[in-house]
Amino acid sequence: MALQDCRIIDLDKIAEQRGNLTVIEGGRTLPFDIRRVYYLYDVPGGAERGGHAHKNLQQFIVAMSGSFDVVLHDGQRERRFHLNRSYFGVYVCPMTWRRLDNFSSGSVCLVLASEHYDESDYIRSFDGFLAATGAPAP
Ligand code: TYD
């Protein structure tokens, strides 16, 4: 998989006068079953999260509140996605380097993941990531 497989997925919004409702279903809305959910919050201004890739993990990232950027790199190209609504998110495919920055105050970043937490699935060195993708080291 490469950067072109990572994409924005729009979520249906069931809008009523009583408020909006959005559903995410593993295997339907998303191309994977959901094994884990976590969220980032109280992120200080200027902080950066991520800074790693995953060998097998698939993820879907939504701004539940506020806004932030998800920057994806496949070893050759980089794409920046600005997330600022709770009715769309970005699908991050395996072997994609990601970092998250530009967090607005009070933002909440929801992450749905295809696998349980497994530190051995992480690639935490960018040079190691480039080597694993076959890209030339910078
Ligand atoms: P990390 O994935 O590096 O955070 P981020 O990519 O959002 O910057 O995880 C930060 C810490 O939290 C690290 O010590 C591992 C731990 N952690 C878990 O224990 N379980 C999890 O599901 C996740 C995502 C992280």
Side-chain angles (χ1 to χ4, degrees):
M1 290 209 186
L3 205 48
Q4 68 261 21
D5 300 305
C6 301
R7 60 186 183 276
I8 294 291
I9 295 179
D10 290 313
L11 306 169
D12 288 337
K13 182 163 77 174
I14 302 168
E16 297 184 16
Q17 279 185 341
R18 298 179 297 156
N20 300 330
L21 184 154
T22 289
V23 189
I24 304 173
E25 292 187 283
R28 290 186 170 178
T29 324
L30 304 181
F32 60 86
D33 286 328
I34 300 162
R35 279 240 169 82
R36 178 165 52 112
V37 177
Y38 63 94
Y39 36 95
L40 303 171
Y41 54 100
D42 292 346
V43 178
E48 191 172 291
R49 302 291 312 210
H52 54 76
H54 287 279
K55 297 171 196 164
N56 295 308
L57 190 71
Q58 301 175 72
Q59 291 174 305
F60 183 64
I61 304 176
V62 184
M64 297 305 289
S65 182
S67 64
F68 51 86
D69 291 355
V70 179
V71 185
L72 302 181
H73 199 299
D74 67 358
Q76 300 193 327
R77 290 189 309 122
E78 187 171 279
R79 279 182 76 184
R80 179 177 286 270
F81 297 88
H82 184 60
L83 301 188
N84 60 356
R85 294 285 184 270
S86 47
Y87 51 79
F88 70 89
V90 63
Y91 167 66
V92 183
C93 48
M95 287 306 289
T96 306
W97 189 267
R98 90 288 313 279
R99 57 178 211 277
L100 287 74
D101 62 16
N102 201 21
F103 284 89
S104 69
S105 82
S107 56
V108 179
C109 167
L110 176 74
V111 184
L112 307 180
S114 64
E115 305 297 337
H116 294 144
Y117 175 71
D118 175 8
E119 184 59 36
S120 72
D121 187 64
Y122 281 74
I123 302 175
R124 291 197 182 270
S125 142
F126 190 64
D127 287 349
F129 168 70
L130 291 178
T133 63

